Amino acid sequence: MDALLTELRAALGKEAVLTDPDVVASYSRDMMPLAPNGKPLAVVLPTDVAGVQATVRACAEAKVPIVPRGAGSGLSGAANAIDGCVVLVMTKFDRIVEIDAGNRLAVVQPGVVNLDFRNAVEEHGLFYPPDPSSYDWCTIGGNLSTNAGGLCCVKYGVTTDSVLGLEVVLADGSVLRTGRRTVKGVAGYDLTKLFIGSEGTLGIITEATVALRPLPQAPGTLVAGFDSTEKAGEAVARVVREGLVPSLMEIMDASSIKAAESYLNTDLGAGSDCQALLLCQSDAGGEAARHELSALERICLDCGATMAYATDDVAEGKMLLQARRVVLTALEQYGVWLTDDVSVPRTRIAELIAGCERISEEVGLRIAVVGHAGDGNMHPTIVYAPDSPEEFARARKAFDAILEVGLALGGTVTGEHGVGKIKRDWLEREAGPVAMRVHRQIKQALDPGRLFNPGSMFSLD
């Protein structure tokens, strides 16, 4: 191991190879408390592709695994270290290489913060849609590796829907370039989508070419309150059936509403009997947005909303949406949180929320449900006492029970956070033996030495 560290320092510089135990420990895990983590041998921070190649080749020769990492905002343990590994941190790859406004695309390195990138392309009248809730500090590379989603997926899709091509360092140190810069292109296998969402198990992404959109109009906002989750669920289903595609459609259950109101010290206007809140936005602009919001309001009232309020005031819309964005922070008033990530058919959102209410009663812990109603991606969040191992065990039980409900409703065990090191068994259960055999064959073909993030997503044997 001393020889490996000497080689890495020679190739990347002493300052790029960290071995101080306290510093190394700070890079050993992401934001998911359930996921295990080990003690890395070292943390490496390359600044160019040659540094990544040198690290990959040296680690392959020494048979030391590599765990790629971005900002550490993940919620699946996908970036968690294993004992004796090298954590390859990509945050110093932080250049926006190119913004081509004429072709509405950009070339960006993985260490660029999502919000910084969005702000940069906005100066050109353009828009990069993926917007994870941690968009003010998560990095593009992490978004790519987990195929991150966000609040505007209902209209614009997840990360992969905005990616044209990648540059990837493979397990032998060679550089693979996938995809294209053109709007259309079907030459060969779609290797770009293979690497997106692979959680660093197939290669190290060092650059991405992404598609941009024209900057949307300032959004109008609608908030609607319901005295039952069933009525809110029916409103969501009606929106889908009638062909409306708002730029955002979020749902909050009673527990998350109360937490947000307490944290913000405000009244959302939904009333004390409100059991579910829908927040919708339209970025169509002008009369088109007013028409869309009016149609959304009509549907909500037809489905039994006890209140519905629309505004085209941007500041007021941000204030209303803030209640949704602060839910996780608001829940810290009651303990520490453990957020789950399941997607169900949009017609079954109310059933999932009801299932979470039942699980909450069974385990005796608060569970608040918020989610992206427009695409069925829900985030039930379990709150427990940080100093109670017994409550943590009940939280873990609730976490798995929620996944059980999601699958039973025809859903999937992860909509945007990824599998990581906490849902490996659940992936096996959802995908089935044939799909898992194919996963392992792909892994074996691209990473025969099991160099990249071994044990993440699925077991190798």
Side-chain angles (χ1 to χ4, degrees):
M1 295 304 101
D2 288 342
L4 172 62
L5 293 175
T6 299
E7 184 175 351
L8 291 173
R9 290 183 180 115
L12 284 83
K14 292 181 180 180
E15 69 285 350
V17 182
L18 310 178
T19 55
D20 178 272
D22 292 335
V23 175
V24 167
S26 69
Y27 287 95
S28 65
R29 63 173 306 108
D30 67 11
M31 299 287 288
M32 169 47 71
L34 292 182
N37 68 283
K39 182 179 179 181
L41 170 70
V43 172
V44 174
L45 295 97
T47 57
D48 56 24
V49 175
V52 176
Q53 291 177 288
T55 302
V56 168
R57 287 170 177 148
C59 289
E61 178 66 24
K63 294 183 171 53
V64 170
I66 293 173
V67 176
R69 176 189 167 95
S73 63
L75 290 163
S76 70
N80 283 15
I82 61 176
D83 286 338
C85 75
V86 165
V87 176
L88 186 65
V89 181
M90 300 299 289
T91 51
K92 290 187 179 297
F93 270 75
D94 58 359
R95 242 179 3 106
I96 299 173
V97 178
E98 177 188 0
I99 298 175
D100 182 347
N103 287 302
R104 293 212 300 256
L105 63 82
V107 179
V108 62
Q109 292 184 329
V112 174
V113 172
N114 184 293
L115 181 58
D116 292 343
F117 182 53
R118 288 163 64 92
N119 289 339
V121 300
E122 187 173 328
E123 294 177 6
H124 296 261
L126 297 170
F127 173 53
Y128 179 65
D131 68 333
S133 294
S134 57
Y135 73 139
D136 56 344
W137 66 290
C138 67
T139 57
I140 298 294
N143 297 170
L144 293 165
S145 292
T146 59
N147 199 11
L151 274 64
C152 69
C153 293
V154 56
K155 184 171 183 178
Y156 297 109
V158 294
T159 296
T160 190
D161 299 304
S162 293
V163 182
L164 297 172
L166 298 172
E167 178 184 85
V168 184
V169 175
L170 300 177
D172 62 359
S174 61
V175 175
L176 168 69
R177 290 178 176 83
T178 75
R180 63 198 190 278
R181 291 173 64 100
T182 54
V183 175
K184 294 170 67 177
V186 294
Y189 294 145
D190 193 343
L191 298 178
T192 300
K193 291 189 183 297
L194 176 63
F195 284 93
I196 296 172
S198 66
E199 300 180 8
T201 60
L202 300 178
I204 311 295
I205 297 172
T206 52
E207 190 175 88
T209 301
V210 298
L212 305 174
R213 294 174 177 263
L215 189 66
Q217 299 294 312
T221 304
L222 168 76
V223 58
F226 298 83
D227 60 12
S228 76
T229 54
E230 290 78 14
K231 292 175 181 177
E234 175 57 24
V236 173
R238 279 274 302 276
V239 169
V240 176
R241 283 199 302 268
E242 295 195 16
L244 297 173
V245 187
S247 56
L248 176 150
M249 184 160 61
E250 296 290 299
I251 192 168
M252 301 171 61
D253 75 346
S255 185
S256 57
I257 294 167
K258 290 180 175 62
E261 287 183 330
S262 173
Y263 178 76
L264 295 172
N265 194 27
T266 189
D267 183 351
L268 296 177
S272 59
D273 294 330
C274 182
Q275 297 300 303
L277 200 69
L278 282 184
L279 288 158
C280 306
Q281 286 191 329
S282 171
D283 61 7
E287 185 59 34
R290 285 188 287 273
H291 176 76
E292 189 168 49
L293 289 175
S294 177
L296 291 166
E297 183 176 9
R298 171 183 54 79
I299 289 171
C300 289
L301 292 172
D302 286 349
C303 291
T306 56
M307 62 82 69
Y309 173 72
T311 178
D312 58 9
D313 182 276
V314 175
E316 190 175 19
K318 285 183 177 179
M319 181 187 70
L320 291 169
L321 194 58
Q322 186 185 20
R324 164 63 181 91
R325 291 194 180 274
V326 303
V327 167
L328 291 182
T329 303
L331 289 171
E332 291 174 359
Q333 300 171 103
Y334 312 112
V336 296
W337 50 260
L338 170 63
T339 192
D340 215 327
D341 164 46
V342 293
S343 285
V344 295
R346 289 169 288 190
T347 54
R348 311 199 75 174
I349 289 173
E351 293 175 78
L352 177 70
I353 294 175
C356 291
E357 291 172 354
R358 174 182 55 78
I359 293 166
S360 175
E361 293 175 1
E362 290 174 355
V363 301
L365 296 174
R366 181 190 303 264
I367 299 178
V369 183
V370 295
H372 316 310
D375 55 31
N377 188 189
M378 298 290 104
H379 297 302
T381 301
I382 308 148
V383 183
Y384 61 96
D387 55 353
S388 171
E390 190 271 336
E391 283 201 12
F392 179 79
R394 281 188 275 148
R396 172 77 227 210
K397 179 181 178 182
F399 186 90
D400 286 338
I402 290 167
L403 297 178
E404 181 84 45
V405 170
L407 279 184
L409 292 173
T412 176
V413 297
T414 176
E416 60 186 7
H417 292 170
V419 174
K421 296 179 176 67
I422 58 166
K423 295 183 179 178
R424 296 191 325 173
D425 293 342
W426 288 98
L427 175 63
E428 298 257 0
R429 178 171 169 179
E430 178 180 329
V434 175
M436 295 314 304
R437 185 189 74 215
V438 173
H439 274 70
R440 293 186 174 97
Q441 287 172 338
I442 292 171
K443 171 73 170 175
Q444 178 65 23
L446 290 174
D447 184 18
R450 302 182 176 189
L451 179 67
F452 294 133
N453 213 359
S456 192
M457 193 177 290
F458 53 89
S459 63
L460 299 176
D461 299 314

